[in-house]
Amino acid sequence: GQSSPGAPVYDAANIAAAGLTGRFTVTNDLMTATITTVRETDDGYFRCSSGSTEITHRLITHKMTSVSILPPGSVKEYVGGTFNITCTADSKPAASFTWTKQGDSGVISSDETLRISDLTINDTGTYVCTAYHQYASGTASVQLTVEEVETTTRIPISDTTCHSTEDQSCYGAGVVAGTAVGCLVAGLLIGVAATLLILRYRTAKHNENDKDGGYEDVQVPTRTVTQRPGTGNDDYETPMENLPSPPQPSGHYQDLRPAVYQSLQR
């Protein structure tokens, strides 16, 4: 406020509507006003009037609470690649940005996002983002590491030595030869198993045929001795109804003595 012929006016209702209740205080003479715990929403115009005299004050609030880089943490890229990183700031008013590299005095970029293409080993280093406005500023940094591109050396099968850019080891002819031997052994085992199955099947089939086509041993009928009355001669009689049909000659039929065979033909 400012001294004038009349007393300054304190509009409590207006102060409450502005959300300043409890944070807006004035001196007893209403000449000085104070706002505590200033918020970013407190900015605006404040008018002090006394009679016909009026003075207007403008309050501008600002902040720069945090500056960060996305994605966070260190970054690893390869030669020939592209490096993209973005700087953000929670600020009021909106912040402006600059990018620099530690050890270099020049500004690399004035954009929110830093982009470096066709990377080389010399691009390795720490990059600093500075966010600022006319009232405040803040910084954040990121470490970039650029490495050589990994390469793979192709080695002929006949060559038993090779080299790698990482651990000086790679697949050689020994691995290829071992694989070939393993396949050969597996093939032999499968062939042997198949052969055994075929032989077992043929043997079972042969035994079945022998069982169906063979003859059982022929039991020679027992001869009974009878004597004709008054002759005194023994005669051999064999009941014909008990004789089986004579078998046909066969390789499986046992040889019989001629006398027995003749008795069977009666």
Side-chain angles (χ1 to χ4, degrees):
Q2 182 176 339
S3 61
S4 60
V9 178
Y10 177 76
D11 189 348
N14 186 272
I15 295 300
L20 295 171
T21 302
R23 298 186 296 117
F24 185 91
T25 60
V26 294
T27 59
N28 292 333
D29 59 4
L30 302 179
M31 297 297 292
T32 304
T34 303
I35 299 176
T36 59
T37 317
V38 177
R39 303 170 184 172
E40 60 179 294
T41 56
D42 291 339
D43 55 354
Y45 293 91
F46 293 83
R47 185 176 65 252
C48 175
S49 62
S50 175
S52 61
T53 304
E54 183 176 282
I55 299 176
T56 301
H57 298 274
R58 182 185 180 187
L59 174 63
I60 299 175
T61 60
H62 60 81
K63 68 175 181 178
M64 179 69 71
T65 56
S66 65
V67 179
S68 58
I69 292 177
L70 299 175
S74 301
V75 178
K76 183 176 72 172
E77 297 288 349
Y78 293 98
V79 172
T82 300
F83 173 54
N84 280 291
I85 204 77
T86 300
C87 186
T88 63
D90 183 12
S91 69
K92 182 183 178 180
S96 298
F97 301 91
T98 59
W99 286 93
T100 58
K101 182 181 180 182
Q102 282 187 356
D104 297 341
S105 58
V107 174
I108 301 174
S109 174
S110 297
D111 295 329
E112 183 177 0
T113 298
L114 174 64
R115 177 184 176 88
I116 304 175
S117 57
D118 297 327
L119 291 170
T120 66
I121 296 297
N122 294 331
D123 290 322
T124 296
T126 301
Y127 291 82
V128 180
C129 168
T130 300
Y132 65 94
H133 49 59
Q134 56 184 325
Y135 306 107
S137 64
T139 61
S141 63
V142 60
Q143 175 66 38
L144 170 65
T145 302
V146 181
E147 299 180 351
E148 294 285 352
V149 178
E150 297 180 357
T151 59
T152 302
T153 304
R154 295 183 178 272
I155 304 300
I157 294 179
S158 59
D159 194 347
T160 58
T161 60
C162 55
H163 300 282
S164 170
T165 58
E166 291 296 321
D167 56 4
Q168 301 299 318
S169 65
C170 61
Y171 295 107
V175 175
V176 178
T179 302
V181 172
C183 293
L184 179 60
V185 172
L188 290 175
L189 292 176
I190 294 174
V192 171
T195 302
L196 291 176
L197 289 175
I198 293 173
L199 291 176
R200 183 175 180 181
Y201 172 79
R202 289 182 176 178
T203 301
K205 193 69 175 178
H206 181 72
N207 292 338
E208 183 179 353
N209 292 337
D210 289 346
K211 182 177 180 180
D212 294 339
Y215 289 94
E216 298 180 356
D217 292 338
V218 176
Q219 300 294 329
V220 179
T222 303
R223 292 177 294 178
T224 60
V225 180
T226 60
Q227 185 176 11
R228 295 180 181 179
T231 61
N233 295 324
D234 294 338
D235 193 8
Y236 296 92
E237 295 180 357
T238 302
M240 297 303 294
E241 60 274 13
N242 294 331
L243 293 177
S245 298
Q248 298 297 323
S250 171
H252 299 286
Y253 193 84
Q254 64 181 7
D255 294 334
L256 301 177
R257 291 180 299 176
V260 177
Y261 185 77
Q262 290 175 2
S263 66
L264 292 176
Q265 287 182 332
R266 293 180 182 179

